[in-house]
Amino acid sequence: MAKILFSSPKGMKDILPEKEEVWKKILSSVEKVAQAYDFHFIETPILEKEELFLRSVGKETETFKQMYSFTTKGKERVVLRPEGTAPICRAYIENGMSSLPQPVKLYYFGPFFRYERPQKAREREFHQFGFEVLGAKDPFYDALVILAFSDILKSLKLKDFIIKINSIGCSKCRKKYLQALKKYYRAYLNELCEDCRRRFEVNPLRMLDCKEEKCQIYKKGAPIILDFLCKDCKEHFKAVLEFLDHLSLPFSLDHTLVRGLDYYTNTVFEFFLKEEEEMANLALGGGGRYNELIKALGGSQTPAVGFGAGIERIIEAMELEGIKVEKKPREIFLIALGEEAKREILLVWEELKKAGFRAQEAIEKGSISAQLKAASKAKAKIALILGQREVAEKTILIKDLESGIQEEIPQRKLIEELKKRIK
Ligand SMILES: [Zn+2]
Ligand SMILES: [Zn+2]
């Protein structure tokens, strides 16, 4: 084989037809759930201004530091979008969606990017779907997005998940908590990892998220944010948990769950697979409230809640759990011999399409026997054969590939006959 001249960029992979069925299954599950709960499709540009993420996910977050950012020929600082929520808030403000009936319920599906060393389940290009409810503060909507995520996982047969959930309060009650957290950690600063020491200054909440072995013991004794929530935040969180109870959704409280982005308020949650050790630390997705984000981006005060889910991670989870999406063979195989027959078979195919049948072909195989061989290899049930004589007589040969029995019928009766043979 000749030497490969080009390969895809580091950390970016082709999604190949061998994964077609599972990708389509996920996409169709997302769409079914979105339709059922009245979420509407949105697609924002792959590029956004860098400033958007500076003001939303925050400068000190991994997500911000790992962005693909560059200056365009027009001297504009742009990035390949690292996440879906901030662009949707930008679109909400820019397109005046606050004047639509509220809440505005949106869903998306597409590629996202992070510039870091590629590792297992963390590629530079990855795909996410997400659901967002903008302009609603009721805990009903926290529950609705969690329910939607759960339903998608269940429809993919991923039943053994657990929802880790926490509340990080509003900016008011969080301020008091952060003071207490810093007061507690100050005594141990010299014992903590380098990251934690930096976070202590810039983003103390993230210290609860530290995975370093030596920091774990200090995390255990840290003050718990739930004890600091103001009355509204406490009531909101309690109501969310009551919804989840009522829906029989499996959740566990995790007071170290803070999410890696600055814009979250109140409810935060992540979905994990219960039994798969390999994915113990890899969330399938997560989300939460971002009641203060739209205002921070220049809109009016607009409470909102949503989640994003990693499609590659979900596929990996399905593989680990041995969940297969069956590839349905095309039942009809089209065979044509000669130029006239080739022209005619395209018209036949178009008729099949109109009637809802799916067919395949191997026209370039040449002889009828070679084309028939391809048909049986493809596990087709029926072959439709067209030669010069059949074209002239406006007939077609219909061959049952299981029994080998073949019959010549008028072309105008083809659809009727196929409906009898294929349900
Ligand atoms: Zn509060
Ligand atoms: Zn640490």
Side-chain angles (χ1 to χ4, degrees), residues 47-51 53 63-72 76-82 113-115:
L47 288 183
E48 291 279 356
K49 290 186 181 152
E50 186 178 46
E51 179 81 13
F53 298 100
T63 303
F64 189 82
K65 288 176 184 166
Q66 292 170 349
M67 286 195 303
Y68 271 88
S69 43
F70 55 96
T71 307
T72 66
E76 197 178 16
R77 282 295 288 174
V78 294
V79 300
L80 294 179
R81 61 184 189 182
F113 304 86
R114 73 185 132 219
Y115 193 82

Side-chain angles (χ1 to χ4, degrees), residues 3-276:
K3 194 168 161 281
I4 292 172
L5 264 185
F6 298 105
S7 55
S8 64
K10 190 175 174 187
M12 300 191 181
K13 286 179 175 167
D14 300 309
I15 300 164
L16 297 171
E18 62 189 47
K19 292 270 171 86
E20 177 182 6
E21 304 298 322
V22 69
W23 277 83
K24 280 188 180 163
K25 172 79 185 161
I26 294 171
L27 181 56
S28 81
S29 299
V30 167
E31 283 179 340
K32 270 183 207 153
V33 169
Q35 275 179 26
Y37 296 132
D38 196 35
F39 283 77
H40 298 272
F41 180 73
I42 184 166
E43 172 71 49
T44 61
I46 305 288
L47 288 183
E48 291 279 356
K49 290 186 181 152
E50 186 178 46
E51 179 81 13
L52 174 66
F53 298 100
L54 181 66
R55 290 229 210 155
S56 54
V57 304
K59 197 179 170 192
E60 293 299 333
T61 58
E62 255 181 41
T63 303
F64 189 82
K65 288 176 184 166
Q66 292 170 349
M67 286 195 303
Y68 271 88
S69 43
F70 55 96
T71 307
T72 66
K73 288 176 186 168
K75 304 274 182 285
E76 197 178 16
R77 282 295 288 174
V78 294
V79 300
L80 294 179
R81 61 184 189 182
E83 62 97 51
T85 302
I88 283 179
C89 292
R90 195 261 313 132
Y92 177 90
I93 300 166
E94 186 176 345
N95 297 290
M97 287 192 232
S98 61
S99 61
L100 299 173
Q102 303 292 298
V104 174
K105 288 149 69 192
L106 303 169
Y107 79 99
Y108 61 88
F109 193 105
F112 294 88
F113 304 86
R114 73 185 132 219
Y115 193 82
E116 65 164 339
R117 192 172 57 82
Q119 38 189 309
K120 197 172 158 56
R122 287 183 79 85
E123 297 288 348
R124 287 181 169 180
E125 183 184 29
F126 54 101
H127 295 76
Q128 290 194 331
F129 61 83
F131 284 53
E132 314 280 358
V133 178
L134 304 111
K137 63 177 193 303
D138 200 293
F140 174 88
Y141 289 104
D142 303 47
L144 182 64
V145 296
I146 292 173
L147 178 64
F149 195 172
S150 304
D151 281 347
I152 291 166
L153 294 180
K154 284 177 191 169
S155 74
L156 297 170
K157 302 199 174 80
L158 285 169
K159 294 193 181 85
D160 256 351
F161 57 82
I162 179 91
I163 304 155
K164 291 187 181 169
I165 191 165
N166 191 21
S167 172
I168 54 170
C170 61
S171 54
K172 271 185 279 168
C173 52
R174 199 179 320 144
K175 213 177 198 170
K176 279 188 217 147
Y177 174 67
L178 293 181
Q179 281 166 359
L181 192 65
K182 285 185 86 167
K183 194 175 162 207
Y184 163 80
Y185 267 122
R186 194 178 297 278
Y188 309 113
L189 269 186
N190 291 330
E191 270 83 30
L192 298 171
C193 76
E194 204 181 310
D195 271 346
C196 278
R197 271 180 278 165
R198 192 179 47 80
R199 287 172 184 147
F200 181 84
E201 297 302 335
V202 297
N203 193 355
L205 204 56
R206 289 301 308 275
M207 295 172 83
L208 297 172
D209 209 18
C210 184
K211 303 278 185 285
E212 281 288 326
E213 194 58 45
K214 66 177 179 181
C215 299
Q216 300 310 309
I217 177 117
Y218 303 107
K219 259 168 71 172
K220 284 207 178 81
I224 290 169
I225 194 161
L226 295 182
D227 297 335
F228 290 79
L229 295 184
C230 65
K231 189 166 162 283
D232 285 354
C233 288
K234 210 175 268 177
E235 274 170 13
H236 183 93
F237 191 50
K238 189 168 163 265
V240 172
L241 299 184
E242 282 166 3
F243 271 110
L244 299 188
D245 258 334
H246 193 73
L247 292 165
S248 305
L249 290 172
F251 68 88
S252 75
L253 292 180
D254 182 347
H255 60 80
T256 65
L257 180 69
V258 294
R259 303 280 297 152
L261 309 170
D262 282 358
Y263 55 63
Y264 283 109
T265 59
N266 299 86
T267 321
V268 286
F269 58 86
E270 286 180 348
F271 278 66
F272 288 89
L273 269 198
K274 248 192 267 177
E275 305 293 346
E276 296 294 348

